[in-house]
Amino acid sequence: MGNMYFGPNHGQINIIQNNVQGYRRSPRRNSHPILTGIGILFAIGLLIKFWWVVLTVLAIWIGVKAFRNWQHRQALAEQERARIAARADVQNQAFLAGDPYGIYGDPQNPQGL
């Protein structure tokens, strides 16, 4: 065949030339801008036509988020109550054993701060 030149890859597949024409093409250029505009206008039209559905979904989403936030705050408050009760039990046991920790609490923090 003579002096055939296959390029720098010598017959390997070039990743840049990935389509049939052999041109380098951006993967985002597959969609047509006019069709994209029509799709956006169609979506806006659906939002306007079914605004009540959008508001209902939004209200449900906000309600679920608020309920989960409330549950989280309740769990934190329960943990705090359990921590205080456990510390009170330890101090009560120390008081019954005659330890001053049972009366005065933590000597490193006398004001309870």
Side-chain angles (χ1 to χ4, degrees):
M1 291 238 173
N3 295 329
M4 293 183 62
Y5 179 71
F6 291 104
N9 295 331
H10 302 290
Q12 295 176 358
I13 296 174
N14 193 350
I15 296 174
I16 294 174
Q17 297 175 350
N18 59 359
N19 58 7
V20 177
Q21 294 88 5
Y23 301 118
R24 183 176 181 177
R25 191 166 60 171
S26 172
R28 299 291 257 170
R29 292 208 162 196
N30 293 337
S31 62
H32 198 278
I34 293 177
L35 293 177
T36 302
I38 291 171
I40 290 172
L41 289 176
F42 182 73
I44 290 172
L46 285 176
L47 290 175
I48 291 171
K49 175 76 175 169
F50 298 107
W51 61 270
W52 56 273
V53 174
V54 174
L55 285 180
T56 303
V57 169
L58 186 63
I60 290 171
W61 182 73
I62 289 173
V64 168
K65 294 290 275 185
F67 180 70
R68 287 183 180 170
N69 188 12
W70 176 79
Q71 281 183 325
H72 179 69
R73 285 186 285 124
Q74 291 295 320
L76 288 178
E78 181 62 32
Q79 289 173 358
E80 178 68 15
R81 286 191 295 270
R83 188 180 62 79
I84 291 171
R87 189 175 66 209
D89 286 341
V90 169
Q91 286 181 350
N92 184 40
Q93 292 300 320
F95 173 75
L96 294 176
D99 188 2
Y101 174 73
I103 296 174
Y104 300 110
D106 190 6
Q108 300 295 329
N109 192 3
Q111 284 82 26
L113 298 175

